[in-house]
Amino acid sequence: MIEGGLFAPFTEFEFMRRALAGCLALALGATPVGVFLMLRRMSLMGDAMAHAILPGAALGYLAFGLSLGAMTIGGIIAGLVVALGAGLVARSSILKEDASLAAFYLLSIATGVMIVSLRGRNLDLLHVLFGSVLALDDASLLLISAISTVTLFALAALYRPLVLECFDAAFLRGVSATSPLAHYGFLVLVVLNLVSGFHALGTLMAVGIMILPAAAARLWVKRLPAMLGLAIAIAFISGVGGLLASFHADVPAGPAIILVAGVIYVLSLALAPGGMIGARLDRRPHLES
Amino acid sequence: MGHRMTQPLAVLQLDNLTLGYDRHPAVHHLSCSIAPGALVAVVGPNGAGKSTLFKALTGELAPLQGSFRMHTAPGGIAYLPQQSELDRSFPVSVFDMVSMGLWREIGPFRGLSRSQAERVRAALAAVGLSGFETRQIGTLSGGQLQRARFARMMLQDASLLLLDEPFNAIDARTIEDLIALVLDWHAEGRTILAVLHDLELVRRHFPECLLLARESLGFGPTTDVLTPERLATARRLASEFDEAAAVCHRPEAEAA
């Protein structure tokens, strides 16, 4: 009975299997990038960039309709422009980075919604805002998997410079010329994975599968490799849980996935060693000095 | 100054160097030459341009005018920025952090060989951090973190070392240990420039001194440079800032 509820949806329905594959790919690609986003204190920056993808994807949609290629390329271009632009604004004006990012993403989402409504039906708008994880076609699935593959290889290659860039950028600049490569390479990965998440979860929630599992994992473990592994596991479990909830309770899949991740995050926040109550539950006596 | 034919006369040659932000100079027409193996304290009030000078030497800031030349051995330069530039909340162990001093050997991809790992442990032992290998850097005290940064610098094996306020907010015992390391490096023939505020410390350990207050107020033997008159001038000069300063027309020849 329970087994049936857990496995039957996936064995019986192809769209569920596709959604599951999409979630696995997202967990493997987007979530590790999310861990670094969080550790670089760029969580909100990721959110702003996710919104920034919208006008680009919307322009692609305006020109070619619901075409995967056009929306992907539009999204990637818009994301890269904002990723580079936001840093530029913060450096060359008196606005702090948070203000310039807030301005960016408010404008982006307004522009994006406006463009989609110019041509589209409300259904298309919903698709763009909330994704369509239950309707992934071959092309979308290939795109998401390809981005995750590229991400894993790129993270493996950039791992050491990226870690140094995060916690001691001045040292990295002193010993090596890879600092800009680590910084901008990472931003490109963020944009790619946001576009990937955009197809499955929509522009509003793409960041969710990056940041929520990362934040939950951070509360449990201290070492970075363990954190990456745990975050991936949490992201995948959220994917499975969200899909099952969506199937059985007939609720939208994208928000369900993010909500499951959110529940895991809230539980971690309460119980984990780094959380709010967890640290106080440790009643063991202190050690010899 | 001993002029040897085989070695360049100076590890570092500053030639009429002017550095600054938004055209306002933070270092103004600085010329001096640092001999190989010199141990130099860079002294001056806040805002005197000491950190700016180091930023320029490490290539982070382009000169507004003038130039500098560096003649360093293959080890190149190692730069210890002020402590605040390191994110201590990042999850990385002391061993991993210190082993990055071997970057020149291992680069972005290669792992540590057994002998390299041994050298990392030796460096940790040399700074008194044996047994801290697996600790996260976030759990270290300020002094312990500074010891770890010294261990990392030791592994960089550089011929020119730039230390920016290495003893800020560090207790006396730790300063004593770290100064001993600096003196060891000096004995090994490395050239060392250190920004310091503790004049007592400078007088005791640093044979040479560069007194900065945007302009150079003296470079040479410490006892000649750190006179009460010059220090008073330094304090006065560094605090002046003229928003509407006129364009500086000082000719190159006069400044040199």
Side-chain angles (χ1 to χ4, degrees), chain A residues 19-206:
Chain A
L20 187 68
C23 286
L24 179 60
L26 274 183
L28 284 172
T31 307
V33 171
V35 171
F36 280 103
L37 260 184
M38 173 194 65
L39 291 175
R40 299 207 70 179
R41 302 167 189 215
M42 285 167 61
S43 303
L44 287 175
M45 164 103 183
D47 197 33
M49 277 161 64
H51 291 92
I53 285 169
L54 185 59
L59 276 178
Y61 166 78
L62 191 65
F64 300 100
L66 272 180
S67 138
L68 178 77
M71 289 173 69
T72 300
I73 292 169
I76 289 176
I77 292 174
L80 290 177
V81 166
V82 168
L84 302 177
L88 199 67
V89 168
R91 268 199 299 277
S92 53
S93 79
I94 57 166
L95 281 185
K96 292 273 188 273
E97 192 146 28
D98 62 331
S100 95
L101 279 176
F104 255 118
Y105 92 73
L106 289 167
L107 289 176
S108 299
I109 199 144
T111 315
V113 170
M114 192 71 90
I115 294 174
V116 178
S117 333
L118 275 185
R119 161 155 172 179
R121 312 167 306 247
N122 277 340
L123 187 66
D124 291 346
L125 184 59
L126 281 179
H127 168 89
V128 169
L129 289 180
F130 299 108
S132 49
V133 65
L134 292 182
L136 291 176
D137 56 17
D138 283 350
S140 312
L141 205 51
L142 271 177
L143 179 80
I144 294 174
S145 316
I147 287 178
S148 291
T149 309
V150 168
T151 303
L152 283 177
F153 278 112
L155 276 184
L158 280 177
Y159 187 78
R160 190 176 284 167
L162 186 56
V163 166
L164 266 179
E165 172 73 16
C166 291
F167 89 91
D168 199 352
F171 177 78
L172 180 64
R173 285 197 299 273
V175 294
S176 143
T178 53
S179 171
L181 187 69
H183 179 68
Y184 290 109
F186 177 67
L187 284 183
V188 169
L189 285 184
V190 172
V191 170
L192 283 178
N193 280 286
L194 283 171
V195 169
S196 164
F198 162 81
H199 285 299
L201 300 169
T203 182
L204 291 182
M205 280 175 299

